[in-house]
Amino acid sequence: GQNIDQPTEMTATEGAIVQINCTYQTSGFNGLFWYQQHAGEAPTFLSYNVLDGLEEKGRFSSFLSRSKGYSYLLLKELQMKDSASYLCAVRGGGNNRLAFGKGNQVVVIP
Amino acid sequence: GAVVSQHPSRVICKSGTSVKIECRSLDFQATTMFWYRQFPKQSLMLMATSNEGSKATYEQGVEKDKFLINHASLTLSTLTVTSAHPEDSSFYICSAPTGSGPQHFGDGTRLSIL
């Protein structure tokens, strides 16, 4: 099976940088995904890592270490609209299914 | 724009009613689609994998006679919640993978059973 762990909530100031961590255990790892989910809405795709290293996409970056079963999402220049839950999802087990962590709620304050 | 369309976005109905939710892939074919359920402040829980032209694969603990899945074409999967009860009230979301890339989600259906 798959086991994914994320911290639950954090508060940060507008303009700041926030790092959200995700650790996982899975067999047949085939990619780690980060999604943003606003309250009452479906998740939207942010980034995808399948190889070790950093993927940068505008204000969002994601890092992966497969040997450590660890990823982080970095949010720079925080904006109020970034207040949301950030979900880490792992694809593994030899199929295309995703297993989601519980999500990390980020609250951005002025 | 959206690559996966889900309809309806909101359903409110009486206990015992059956509710059908549609999930369409736009501009791409999806031999596989996924159906998730999410309770308030909980993570997305995979209910089943919808397979075009064959039976759906259900996760442990999900009643296949309760949640009927039909994947009749390469762009459409439907989930029918049969004889829905208040405990079935939840946020139902479908997704479709784009090849080896990310899964894209529909907008979700908020189901409220009175």
Side-chain angles (χ1 to χ4, degrees):
Chain A
Q2 295 163 304
N3 187 28
I4 299 159
D5 190 34
Q6 286 185 261
T8 53
E9 186 169 321
M10 59 173 63
T11 302
T13 308
E14 204 172 4
I17 299 174
V18 155
Q19 178 173 316
I20 303 167
N21 299 318
C22 174
T23 58
Y24 66 89
Q25 292 177 312
T26 187
S27 57
F29 175 82
N30 190 23
L32 186 142
F33 301 82
W34 284 95
Y35 287 86
Q36 180 192 62
Q37 186 178 26
H38 286 101
E41 298 180 10
T44 54
F45 169 70
L46 289 179
S47 70
Y48 163 53
N49 296 71
V50 66
L51 300 176
D52 291 350
L54 188 69
E55 291 283 339
E56 297 190 81
K57 226 177 172 184
R59 293 190 299 116
F60 298 157
S61 304
S62 57
F63 171 83
L64 174 68
S65 169
R66 288 172 295 172
S67 61
K68 295 181 180 177
Y70 167 71
S71 174
Y72 69 72
L73 178 70
L74 201 65
L75 285 64
K76 303 173 194 171
E77 301 169 21
L78 275 179
Q79 301 175 8
M80 298 299 289
K81 66 179 181 179
D82 296 331
S83 292
S85 181
Y86 291 86
L87 306 172
C88 162
V90 172
R91 184 167 63 193
N95 54 50
N96 217 2
R97 294 156 48 186
L98 289 182
F100 281 85
K102 291 183 179 178
N104 184 310
Q105 186 69 38
V106 172
V107 177
V108 182
I109 57 175
Chain B
V3 295
V4 175
S5 172
Q6 186 173 342
H7 178 80
S9 58
R10 178 82 195 238
V11 178
I12 302 173
C13 58
K14 294 181 180 179
S15 185
T17 307
S18 291
V19 177
K20 187 177 188 180
I21 304 170
E22 292 187 349
C23 183
R24 294 181 186 272
S25 58
L26 306 177
D27 299 326
F28 72 101
Q29 294 180 335
T31 55
T32 302
M33 291 186 182
F34 300 95
W35 288 96
Y36 296 85
R37 181 168 54 181
Q38 187 177 36
F39 292 106
K41 300 196 176 183
Q42 300 288 315
S43 185
L44 279 79
M45 296 302 297
L46 180 64
M47 298 175 65
T49 303
S50 173
N51 303 300
E52 189 268 335
S54 64
K55 291 183 181 179
T57 307
Y58 288 83
E59 296 300 303
Q60 193 172 5
V62 178
E63 301 174 57
K64 59 182 179 183
D65 295 330
K66 172 80 172 177
F67 299 99
L68 300 179
I69 291 173
N70 187 331
H71 196 146
S73 77
L74 287 170
T75 58
L76 174 63
S77 174
T78 60
L79 168 68
T80 301
V81 184
T82 61
S83 188
H85 291 286
E87 58 267 27
D88 297 322
S89 298
S90 188
F91 190 45
Y92 292 85
I93 315 172
C94 71
S95 74
T98 50
S100 61
Q103 288 185 21
H104 289 278
F105 288 85
D107 287 338
T109 298
R110 189 157 303 282
L111 178 61
S112 300
I113 307 298
L114 306 176

